[in-house]
């Protein structure tokens, strides 16, 4: 079930997103958080840091699981999702890095790595999964066509996704071709999901997710079957959502 919140801009989106997170953390200081990379959650991470500095809220008992990581990328590579999380969040709060889980993009054996990650995830129950959405409707790195039953696996990235992410690399040739990602079935186990999207570039994906049909061609459309999904969008990303529905 979707709860849709439409905001004027990304600053207001971040405030609303932090409200959702705060409710979870107030009830459970040792919450299990699913985290994401990309530009969409950055405002929320800023709010978390701000709140940590101002109120002293502690993250030392929080456990985190990131959605995905590029394959064949060193952990300390500037564009690894590990580096992204350190720079945008972990280095600025008191999280215990022992409680942080991010797939190993440099594993010697990815069959072992995907099983290890899913097994680790299954020892916990994610209270809140934060995520963005790809312009083609992908969630995590589950590209169109990925079975809804998928668990953590290695995904070949679509050219459109590689193009979208090329802005972070020196050239398109440097963008990894594969990623380890939590599967759609792994994501659906979260108790609550918070999906953030802004700009008109995401409008089609948001409309396809909300209006359906539920199809593997739009991975995010499966979220209609989840009991608690909060979608926070700006007006541009919401521009193709039919008004009469919300
Ligand atoms: C990447 C990530 C996704 C993210 C998407 C959108 O592909 N793997 O998890 O949702 O980018 O990114 P952005 O928020 O920068 O638009």
């Amino acid at each position: 079930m979707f709860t849709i919140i439409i905001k004027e801009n990304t600053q207001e989106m971040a405030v609303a997103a932090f409200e959702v997170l705060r409710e979870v953390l107030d009830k459970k200081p040792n919450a299990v958080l699913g985290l994401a990379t990309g530009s969409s959650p950055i405002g929320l991470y800023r709010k978390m840091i701000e709140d940590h500095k101002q109120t002293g809220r502690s993250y030392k008992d929080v456990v985190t699981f990131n959605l995905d990581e590029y394959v064949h990328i060193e952990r300390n590579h500037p564009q690894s999702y590990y580096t992204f999380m350190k720079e945008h969040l972990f280095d600025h709060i008191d999280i215990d890095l022992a409680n942080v889980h991010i797939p190993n993009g440099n594993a010697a054996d990815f069959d072992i790595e995907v099983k290890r990650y899913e097994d680790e995830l299954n020892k916990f129950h994610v209270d809140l999964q934060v995520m963005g959405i790809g312009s083609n409707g992908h969630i995590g790195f589950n590209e169109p066509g990925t079975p809804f039953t998928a668990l953590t696996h290695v995904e070949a990235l679509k050219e459109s996704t590689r193009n979208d992410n090329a802005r972070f690399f020196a050239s398109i040739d440097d963008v990894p071709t594969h990623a380890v990602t939590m599967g759609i079935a792994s994501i659906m186990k979260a108790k609550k999901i918070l999906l953030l999207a802004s700009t008109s570039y995401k409008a089609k994906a948001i409309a396809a997710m909300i209006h359906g049909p539920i199809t593997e061609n739009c991975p995010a459309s499966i979220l209609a079957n989840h009991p608690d999904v909060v979608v926070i969008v700006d007006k541009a990303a919401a521009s193709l959502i039919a008004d009469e529905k919300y």
Side-chain angles (χ1 to χ4, degrees):
M1 207 194 79
F2 293 117
T3 304
I4 298 167
I5 302 174
I6 302 174
K7 292 289 176 191
E8 284 295 329
N9 53 46
T10 49
Q11 285 89 330
E12 284 186 22
M13 283 174 60
V15 172
F18 184 67
E19 285 300 308
V20 174
L21 176 72
R22 178 164 45 201
E23 205 176 301
V24 172
L25 290 175
D26 281 352
K27 276 195 208 125
K28 199 175 167 192
N30 62 343
V32 182
L33 302 179
L35 298 177
T37 53
S39 44
S40 305
I42 289 179
L44 167 63
Y45 297 159
R46 260 192 223 124
K47 286 275 156 217
M48 290 165 76
I49 296 163
E50 209 176 278
D51 165 77
H52 168 70
K53 298 213 156 114
Q54 283 167 5
T55 72
R57 181 193 302 278
S58 177
Y59 286 82
K60 73 176 172 32
D61 296 324
V62 165
V63 172
T64 66
F65 280 89
N66 263 75
L67 283 171
D68 45 21
E69 177 61 282
Y70 289 122
V71 160
H72 296 321
I73 204 162
E74 295 286 338
R75 203 166 85 145
N76 294 323
H77 184 285
Q79 295 307 331
S80 79
Y81 284 171
Y82 180 82
T83 301
F84 177 101
M85 291 309 301
K86 293 254 299 168
E87 283 177 358
H88 290 282
L89 185 63
F90 298 153
D91 282 350
H92 312 285
I93 56 176
D94 65 340
I95 197 149
D96 181 351
L97 286 179
N99 293 336
V100 162
H101 303 83
I102 300 182
N104 178 4
N106 220 8
D109 182 331
F110 281 96
D111 289 340
I112 295 174
E113 175 56 14
V114 298
K115 189 170 179 314
R116 181 197 71 78
Y117 201 70
E118 189 72 29
D119 287 350
E120 198 58 28
L121 183 63
N122 283 331
K123 291 182 194 157
F124 297 87
H125 193 174
V126 172
D127 292 292
L128 181 70
Q129 174 68 58
V130 175
M131 66 170 89
I133 184 171
S135 60
N136 63 3
H138 75 222
I139 48 176
F141 263 131
N142 292 281
E143 296 282 32
T146 308
F148 287 148
T149 50
L151 299 173
T152 303
H153 63 285
V154 172
E155 181 87 21
L157 304 183
K158 300 269 187 216
E159 276 317 293
S160 62
T161 298
R162 294 186 66 237
N163 281 323
D164 283 353
N165 290 352
R167 64 189 193 276
F168 300 113
F169 293 84
S171 83
I172 181 78
D173 297 333
D174 294 334
V175 184
T177 55
H178 291 75
V180 182
T181 182
M182 272 190 210
I184 294 172
S186 333
I187 292 170
M188 290 292 280
K189 291 179 207 163
K191 290 184 205 162
K192 188 178 185 93
I193 292 176
L194 172 59
L195 188 144
L196 302 162
S198 58
T199 79
S200 57
Y201 193 56
K202 299 291 173 72
K204 255 176 135 171
I206 290 293
M209 170 180 87
I210 287 169
H211 294 154
I214 297 175
T215 160
E216 289 173 355
N217 294 330
C218 175
S221 65
I222 191 66
L223 299 177
N225 285 347
H226 189 282
D228 189 3
V229 182
V230 179
V231 179
I232 303 182
V233 280
D234 69 356
K235 285 199 168 151
S239 58
L240 299 177
I241 305 175
D243 288 345
E244 68 273 17
K245 283 192 82 178
Y246 302 98

